[in-house]
Amino acid sequence: MRRAAAQDPDVPTTPALRLAEDPDPAVVLALSMREDLTEEQRSALAYVVPHGYHVPPRWVVERGHEPAVARRAAASGHVLLRRSIAMRRDLPADVVDLLARDEDFFVKLTLCEYGDQAPHELVVEMYAYWHGLKWDSLRFHRNFARPGLARYADHPNPRLRHAALYDPDGGPDLVMKLIDDPDVGRWALRDPRLPAGELLRRLTLPGSAGCAAANPALPPATMHRLLDLAGVGPAPGR
């Protein structure tokens, strides 16, 4: 009941602020995210930011598409309001730019995970340094693969070396450079830019044959030969 009152927009600001000393941290947190509070009132509350997922306040969910609401939340000193607005997929360009430069790692990560507008450099940064369960999905973000990623081919971070393979301007030399990398080589072996002769050679090597067999550039005749060797026959009736 107190938590519901703390976030209820129909409860006037003054009586709602009486909950500022509530013993339940969830009540104070809910109070801190009210739309009608000034930033000064918000910062005066002793709220605790919880770990993990949080429920965005209703006013951000319902009206976050409005540029004025998005800008206010993105500029707030309350990190959960900034994380909440970062979940929107329809943000003005200036709000995206502001959130992409946020001091909070999870504001930037949320911007990358929820929307297509996150800038390329930020998506690559989150891919390189986020250790959560969904980190690998960031390489499928529409702003991940861009010319210039090949510059990471010698980077000490193996994720950035992997990112180098997503440079659309990278050629066979890039793939060959990474093919024996202990962390990245298995992806290089699957890369269709791998020279044909090297691809066929790698099929004969025990340490690379499995990944090379998954390369989509394999000639159809070679694919069929591999299936025959594996004992995979044609489908019934064919």
Side-chain angles (χ1 to χ4, degrees), residues 23-219:
D24 185 348
V27 172
V28 182
L29 181 64
L31 176 65
S32 72
M33 290 192 286
R34 285 177 63 101
E35 182 180 13
D36 55 352
L37 297 189
T38 65
E39 283 300 301
E40 183 178 7
Q41 289 171 322
R42 227 183 285 284
S43 63
L45 296 172
Y47 61 86
V48 177
V49 176
H51 294 292
Y53 180 79
H54 74 284
V55 178
R58 190 172 72 183
W59 62 276
V60 172
V61 173
E62 294 179 351
R63 296 175 43 238
H65 64 281
E66 299 175 18
V69 173
R71 291 185 178 106
R72 183 182 178 198
S76 175
H78 198 309
V79 70
L80 293 189
L81 292 183
R82 304 199 307 276
R83 292 180 190 176
S84 295
I85 200 62
M87 293 179 182
R88 303 286 314 192
R89 299 180 182 273
D90 47 5
L91 296 171
D94 61 300
V95 173
V96 172
D97 182 64
L98 182 61
L99 295 172
R101 293 181 285 108
D102 201 280
E103 63 183 15
D104 180 69
F105 184 92
F106 292 102
V107 169
K108 296 184 289 188
L109 178 65
T110 301
L111 183 67
C112 293
E113 288 187 326
Y114 281 82
D116 294 334
Q117 300 164 281
H120 165 73
E121 293 294 343
L122 180 62
V123 179
V124 173
E125 176 189 343
M126 295 295 105
Y127 174 78
Y129 297 110
W130 170 233
H131 295 285
L133 293 176
K134 297 189 294 181
W135 69 270
D136 192 48
S137 66
L138 290 171
R139 62 191 170 98
F140 302 108
H141 192 285
R142 75 172 189 179
N143 286 336
F144 183 80
R146 288 288 187 273
L149 282 174
R151 69 185 183 276
Y152 293 122
D154 294 310
H155 200 280
N157 186 324
R159 290 190 186 176
L160 289 176
R161 297 199 304 277
H162 183 200
L165 288 170
Y166 286 83
D167 189 329
D169 291 345
D173 289 347
L174 171 65
V175 180
M176 289 296 295
K177 183 173 186 176
L178 293 167
I179 198 167
D180 291 313
D181 185 300
D183 298 301
V184 180
R186 62 187 181 275
W187 286 291
L189 285 163
R190 295 181 175 97
D191 196 301
R193 294 169 294 184
L194 184 63
E198 182 65 15
L199 174 55
L200 294 176
R201 189 181 78 83
R202 293 284 174 160
L203 282 172
T204 68
L205 303 179
S208 59
C211 291
N215 193 308
L218 277 176

